[in-house]
């Protein structure tokens, strides 16, 4: 039985055909242009398969409230053409199957819980550090929505005393995303992250911010597993430093062996690697089918 | 039908008899001394009633994991005599009824959701600002436990540039609790909060920290209702200032009418007033009975 998956990003869309065990059989990628053109390509792709459900993990903000008039919409994004766009409506018009719809990071968190690094856990967070910073969360077995959906990439962080970078977030300046996203790294140091691998000071500072943020997520959400993905997490030296800053920041406060003794297994890379996003969308399809 | 409720604090215990509608019929209060003596008084009180379930909202940290060997314990508290104490065991030895057991703030959040300011909502946070700062949370209809339980009172805050107070938290110095709890106010200004009502600067600074923290909780948990209780929340000028700092801090980022247009109804005092804690314990009893 086929399931459909859509990983909708601000720069590209990935569509895939997979199954209920998280296997991806076919995939295509195309750039995100206008809703008309991009949805057209999505529909053209799925027309070739008999999918029983479709999962959508998308950039946002989105309306996840099933009682809302604009459920399934991308709402107030600054991305040209994509504000107030009925994503779920555009898909259901062509495919009469259950649709799972959530943020890209919530999708990835669900994928990791079903088939990846948080398998068997009742709670986890999935953090992506890339063009932006986003975090998806599962709490008590459920994806967190609430009033809107979490926007954890924009929490405040304490500045490092030697860091004079103003921050790149248009809303908050030096929030976490403003200080630690891929573009923030590039602006502060004048080079892309991938070209800074040999600069220990870059990753020390990056880990200072990410570790601080993860410590806050732990204090607030108490997740059983922390997963860090996205382009910036490809830096091999980063995660060990992040773990150290998390411990520094908590300073023994959360007394649990998972943190105090096994932090290497507690804060990890995605079990699904760079497939976390598309497998997450597949997981949303599976969930929609089973509901 | 009677339900029993225990609100266990570091300085005093409140025990009550109530019903499934959140009414309290009888209550007693006694100081927290040793587990032997205090549990003795608890048992003596409940011996007079035929309770069908007992709810316990307690100071912590506690073990909430039903699969753990130390489920129902108060674990690593610095409070003398109370470390590694089997709270649930001490009660079930005498009363063979379902027991609900959670943190004091989670209990209060549940009470507020059933009968108070978050009635009908699927998510909320309950923050107490008193001797310590604690926050309980309901997410997607469920109390948040996770790895341990949230410890949101200890998140980092950005210091106010004019604030030179070192902070009073023994673990973190100037975390939220270290900067904004009742004792922190007293240490910084040399007087108890209740005697500082006419000092606008005191409440401006207090709101600066609380507003900042609540903005982080909103970004991370996306609650549908925010409730602020505890002794310090009795200051009448505080909540309006807190709301303003929350808006400042979010800076338009979370685009929802509840925040942008109706913040006076979004961040509120407890609907149950100073009964939030004991009614919360009653709510835990009701929940235990219905499970
Ligand atoms: N190996 C690397 N080390 C550090 N930064 C990287 C690396 N690879 C990619 N990045 C940065 O990650 C960002 C892209 O993130 P990515 O997760 O790949 O995409 P997106 O967030 O757009 O989905 C860019 O800012 C890029 O500079
Ligand atoms: N009206 C008030 N204004 C400011 N602070 C107050 C007020 N009333 C009590 N407090 C402070 O609140 C703290 C006690 O908090 P409370 O919630 O009553 O108890 P606890 O946290 O111990 O359960 C004390 O530090 C006290 O100084
Ligand atoms: Zn921001
Ligand atoms: Zn602290």
């Amino acid at each position: 039985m086929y399931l459909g998956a859509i990983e909708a990003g601000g720069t590209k869309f990935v569509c895939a055909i997979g199954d209920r065990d998280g296997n991806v059989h076919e995939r295509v990628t195309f750039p995100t242009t206008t809703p008309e053109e991009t949805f057209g390509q999505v529909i053209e792709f799925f027309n070739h398969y008999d999918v029983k459900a479709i999962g959508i993990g998308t950039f946002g903000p989105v309306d996840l409230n099933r009682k809302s008039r604009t459920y399934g919409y991308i709402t107030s994004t600054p991305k040209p053409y994509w504000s107030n766009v009925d994503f779920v409506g555009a898909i259901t018009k062509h495919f009469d199957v259950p649709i799972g719809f959530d943020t890209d990071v919530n999708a990835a968190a669900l994928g990791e819980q079903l088939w990846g690094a948080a398998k068997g856990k009742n709670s986890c967070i999935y953090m992506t550090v890339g063009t932006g910073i986003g975090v998806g969360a599962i709490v008590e077995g459920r994806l967190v929505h609430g009033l809107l959906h979490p926007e954890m990439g924009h929490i405040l962080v304490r500045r490092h005393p030697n860091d004079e970078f103003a921050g790149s977030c248009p809303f908050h300046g030096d929030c976490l995303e403003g200080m630690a996203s891929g573009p923030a790294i590039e602006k502060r140091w004048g080079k892309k992250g991938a070209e800074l691998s040999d600069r220990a000071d870059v990753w020390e500072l990056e880990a200072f911010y990410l570790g601080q943020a993860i410590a806050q997520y732990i204090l607030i959400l108490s997740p059983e597993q922390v997963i860090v993905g996205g382009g910036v997490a490809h830096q091999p030296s980063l995660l060990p430093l992040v773990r150290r800053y998390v411990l520094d920041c908590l300073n023994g406060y959360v007394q649990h062996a998972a943190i105090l003794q096994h932090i290497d297994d507690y804060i990890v890379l995605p079990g699904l690697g760079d497939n976390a996003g598309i497998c997450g969308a597949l997981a949303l399809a599976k969930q929609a089918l089973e509901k």
Side-chain angles (χ1 to χ4, degrees), chain A:
Chain A
M1 196 187 59
Y2 285 147
L3 298 177
I6 307 172
E7 182 188 5
T11 52
K12 66 177 203 288
F13 266 54
V14 182
C15 293
I17 300 297
D19 61 36
R20 279 179 298 184
D21 301 316
N23 302 304
V24 172
H25 302 296
E26 298 287 338
R27 68 196 291 162
V28 289
T29 299
F30 34 82
T32 310
T33 59
T34 63
E36 294 67 39
E37 187 179 12
T38 304
F39 287 149
Q41 290 174 281
V42 169
I43 288 152
E44 157 67 13
F45 172 73
F46 286 119
N47 266 337
H48 295 99
Y49 304 90
D50 177 28
V51 294
K52 296 297 180 211
I54 297 175
I56 304 168
T58 179
F59 70 102
V62 290
D63 187 344
L64 303 177
N65 178 1
R66 288 181 179 274
K67 291 180 201 142
S68 158
R69 210 180 35 79
T70 54
Y71 168 75
Y73 279 56
I74 293 179
T75 57
S76 59
T77 177
K79 192 173 166 62
Y81 313 116
W82 286 87
S83 193
N84 268 309
V85 164
D86 183 3
F87 200 143
V88 168
I91 303 302
T92 48
K93 221 190 321 181
H94 291 268
F95 304 100
D96 183 24
V97 296
I99 305 283
F101 181 72
D102 216 311
T103 61
D104 44 9
V105 282
N106 264 355
L110 185 64
E112 287 289 325
Q113 190 212 22
L114 278 181
W115 303 308
K119 215 165 151 171
K121 302 265 159 77
N122 209 26
S123 58
C124 69
I125 61 174
Y126 176 91
M127 180 180 205
T128 178
V129 188
T131 305
I133 297 184
V135 188
I138 294 177
V139 166
E140 302 291 316
R142 300 182 183 196
L143 288 167
V144 179
H145 297 162
L147 188 68
L148 207 64
H149 45 73
E151 284 288 0
M152 300 191 217
H154 293 267
I155 64 166
L156 286 182
V157 281
R158 281 196 193 162
R159 303 180 66 88
H160 191 284
N162 302 334
D163 186 10
E164 265 146 39
F165 179 56
S168 63
C169 175
F171 289 90
H172 315 105
D174 57 1
C175 71
L176 175 68
E177 179 168 303
M179 297 307 268
S181 65
I185 294 172
E186 189 174 347
K187 258 201 195 158
R188 183 192 284 106
W189 304 98
K191 275 189 195 172
K192 281 189 188 302
E195 294 156 26
L196 292 161
S197 300
D198 56 344
R199 287 280 302 273
D201 52 342
V202 171
W203 308 110
E204 193 76 31
L205 188 67
E206 180 71 7
F208 170 86
Y209 289 118
L210 298 180
Q212 215 188 105
I214 291 171
Q216 312 310 303
Y217 305 148
I218 292 171
L219 289 167
I220 295 177
L221 289 165
S222 191
E224 288 157 275
Q225 187 74 54
V226 176
I227 301 158
V228 186
V232 176
H234 285 132
Q235 274 299 322
S237 63
L238 189 60
L239 229 51
L241 295 172
V242 167
R243 295 185 189 113
R244 206 189 66 211
Y245 277 106
V246 168
L247 290 176
D248 273 11
C249 204
L250 293 175
N251 200 21
Y253 195 72
V254 181
Q255 297 229 2
H256 194 286
I259 297 175
L260 299 179
Q261 291 160 39
H262 308 291
I263 192 137
D264 291 357
D265 302 323
Y266 182 60
I267 302 176
V268 297
L269 293 170
L272 303 167
D274 288 335
N275 280 328
I278 192 68
C279 287
L282 204 55
L284 288 173
K286 177 175 145 87
Q287 197 180 61
L289 191 71
E290 289 166 1
K291 254 189 197 144

